[in-house]
Amino acid sequence: CRFLFESGHFGQVAELVETLEATCLEQQKAILATAIFIRAGLCADNNRVKEADLLIKQCIELREQVLEPTNPDLCNAYYSAGIISMECGRHEESLDYHNKAIAVRNACGDDDQTQTAVAFQNLALLYVKQELLDDAEKCLNKARELCRASSGADSDRYAE
């Protein structure tokens, strides 16, 4: 599924995801959640935000059932839901999802904090949309601090 997606075969991915959705057994919820997550991403990338919104919520429901609360895949689902909610204009919901993503990422104990930094950058964007510029600046400063701590001040991996 991932190979098809990365190769640009979006139609085949959608068909595969639909097949998985129709045939998955209870013990395969994690696989189904990943398939739904990929499909939500495809929809979001193609400006089908309402469909992506429904799918990412299905993904979260499944992942919360089968994954540990500190699993990075759960963090990614919250992070994506935060972006989608922001695109739908539901700022409070977006804030909640971004904060959940940050909390899960911090609980993971991962030394590489660049994903947390990206979450703070998107949280800053949300604050800008709400015209809360002081909060946005704090989030951007936190993102910069995390990137420097993870990648070094002169890293080409994550340019400022």
Side-chain angles (χ1 to χ4, degrees), residues 40-159:
L42 287 170
C43 289
D45 288 346
N46 288 290
N47 293 320
R48 294 167 36 202
V49 182
K50 288 182 182 180
E51 189 175 349
D53 186 42
L54 294 173
L55 290 167
I56 199 65
K57 287 179 180 174
Q58 289 176 351
C59 173
I60 288 171
E61 183 179 328
L62 288 169
R63 284 185 171 176
E64 285 177 340
Q65 291 175 20
V66 298
L67 298 178
E68 294 295 321
T70 58
N71 189 299
D73 287 341
L74 186 57
C75 172
N76 292 339
Y78 289 145
Y79 169 76
S80 295
I83 294 169
I84 292 168
S85 296
M86 182 171 46
E87 289 299 316
C88 291
R90 295 190 313 269
H91 294 161
E92 290 302 317
E93 183 178 306
S94 177
L95 177 64
D96 184 48
Y97 281 127
H98 277 94
N99 284 330
K100 283 182 178 183
I102 291 167
V104 171
R105 184 50 91 176
N106 286 335
C108 289
D110 190 359
D111 289 337
D112 184 0
Q113 290 291 303
T114 52
Q115 291 299 318
T116 307
V118 172
F120 274 106
Q121 287 174 329
N122 283 299
L123 193 52
L125 178 59
L126 175 63
Y127 284 136
V128 167
K129 287 182 178 225
Q130 294 176 312
E131 298 182 12
L132 300 170
L133 301 182
D134 289 339
D135 290 333
E137 183 178 13
K138 289 175 189 173
C139 286
L140 286 175
N141 288 336
K142 182 66 175 176
R144 184 180 302 122
E145 172 189 322
L146 290 170
C147 277
R148 285 185 176 160
S150 291
S151 303
D154 298 323
S155 173
D156 288 336
R157 184 172 175 198
Y158 296 97

